[in-house]
Each structure stands twice: as structure tokens, then as C-alpha cells.
Amino acid sequence: MDNCIFCKIISGDIPSATIYEDDEFKVILDRFPSNVGHALILTKKHYANIFEIDEDVAGRLFKLAVKVSKNMKDVLNLEAMNIVQNNGEMAGQTVHHFHLHLIPRYVGDKVSVKWEQLDLTDEQISEVQSKLKMN
Ligand code: 5GP
Ligand code: ZN
């Protein structure tokens, strides 16, 4: 992917503050973090988003997220942690190469991960449930 900034980070053409690397993943510090320690887990292979990523790769990526999170908890004086993963421009994705955000939270920080809540009726919930039900 010639024009992908994360592919360039993976190939080493663009430098990054790497905190972990293996055959499939690279974990880097976000260059414009929401908080100190904000890290990104990148797949080495280019998948644009959740709709393209291989399921097994995603499974291994999340196992790694658990390890990185536990290490962050041990090393940083964090209070909590947000895991964020944006898919598509409307959802806030700016780099279209799959990545998971690990955002450590500290008491009194200014990070906000919030949305307005809808007050759906039971019928509306049932309708969407029947559309989405998977067996
Ligand atoms: P998205 O908005 O696509 O979910 O997240 C992209 C993230 O990549 C942003 O948090 C942004 O700060 C980060 N980012 C963009 N360019 C670079 C870069 O060149 N290096 C690093 N380390 N992070 C970057
Ligand atoms: Zn890429």
C-alpha cells in the first residue's frame, strides 16, 4: 500500500516509537496521543478496517492487546483504560490501516469517549434483534 502511513511505519520508511514487534504486529506510541502512553497495535499486513481483517489475525491481535494493557497497568500509574477501534471516516478513522487504540486513563485527565444515548422502545429493540440475530 504505497500511500499508507502505517505501511510505511511497518517497513521502517517512517520512524516510530515502537514498544513491541513480532511477525504479525507492531505496537507503537501514537504520535499525537490523547494521553501519555496512548499506543496503537498495527497489523503488519494491510487491512483497511474490521470489515477486511482476517478473523484469526484479529483474535491474535486482541490477545496481544491484553498483554500490552497488563504491562501498561504495571508500568504506568493508570486508573483505567479505553480500547478504541475506528472503522470508516464517519466513525473517526483517519488512517485506513487496521489499528487498535490503547488509551491509558489517569485521574483528572481530559480524554472523552462518549456518545448520546437513544431511548428505543422494546419493539424497536426486538426489530433490530431479529435483523441481527446470528446462529
Ligand atoms: P484513527 O483516527 O484512524 O483511529 O487513528 C489514527 C491515529 O494515528 C491517530 O490517533 C493519530 O494521532 C495517529 N497517527 C497519525 N500519523 C501518525 C504517525 O505518523 N505516527 C504515529 N505514531 N501515529 C500517527
Ligand atoms: Zn497500510
Side-chain angles (χ1 to χ4, degrees), residues 1-10 43-48 95-98:
M1 286 286 162
D2 292 346
N3 249 341
C4 173
I5 196 157
F6 285 173
C7 282
K8 287 181 184 154
I9 283 176
I10 283 151
T43 54
K44 286 204 165 168
K45 187 169 172 189
H46 181 98
Y47 303 100
V95 180
H96 297 275
H97 176 129
F98 190 98

